[in-house]
Amino acid sequence: MKLRLLGLLTAVLAAGACSSSEPSEPTVPAVVASVKAGPTAVVLAIGATKKLTAITYDAAGNVLTGRTVNWSSDSPSVATVDDSGLVTAVGHGYATIIVASEGRTLVLRSQSPRRSRETPNIAHLS
């Protein structure tokens, strides 16, 4: 009886020693090195909208997917932007649309001409 158990224990230990279950290096996700967004020039009538798109890149220039992108406007009385990048022209003046992801920021300047007879309800985003 003792020989059988010893033989079984030896077989189990030998099988375990043969497996290569060495821990592998943990995968570190790539860091966002830059953000690009567009379009970079848009003309909108007051109340009109335009969807902006942002793309994140790693240091090698590879596109990174699934990254959180935050949008904001420094002048929401001129142009607002929602969490998906949808810009709405709401008034005349100047605004800056800011796109940020993982500490990287892109600034898209927007300009709205002064109200005139020729362009009474136009906002320029560029």
Side-chain angles (χ1 to χ4, degrees):
M1 209 34 127
K2 289 182 181 178
L3 290 176
R4 284 187 186 173
L5 289 177
L6 183 59
L8 180 59
L9 182 60
T10 303
V12 170
L13 290 175
C18 292
S19 68
S20 63
S21 60
E22 293 180 25
S24 60
E25 294 289 324
T27 304
V28 177
V31 176
V32 173
S34 65
V35 180
K36 294 183 182 178
T40 58
V42 179
V43 177
L44 296 173
I46 302 301
T49 60
K50 181 66 178 178
K51 174 78 167 145
L52 302 180
T53 304
I55 302 172
T56 55
Y57 297 89
D58 67 11
N62 299 310
V63 173
L64 299 173
T65 59
R67 303 307 171 103
T68 300
V69 176
N70 299 303
W71 299 88
S72 61
S73 170
D74 77 336
S75 185
S77 63
V78 175
T80 61
V81 60
D82 70 11
D83 292 339
S84 71
L86 183 67
V87 175
T88 302
V90 294
H92 299 281
Y94 296 89
T96 299
I97 303 300
I98 302 155
V99 187
S101 181
E102 298 179 19
R104 299 296 180 204
T105 303
L106 173 68
V107 176
L108 301 172
R109 306 231 181 263
S110 65
Q111 177 180 349
S112 207
R114 290 194 171 113
R115 190 176 186 133
S116 70
R117 290 185 184 142
E118 294 83 30
T119 58
N121 292 314
I122 299 293
H124 292 268
L125 305 176
S126 58

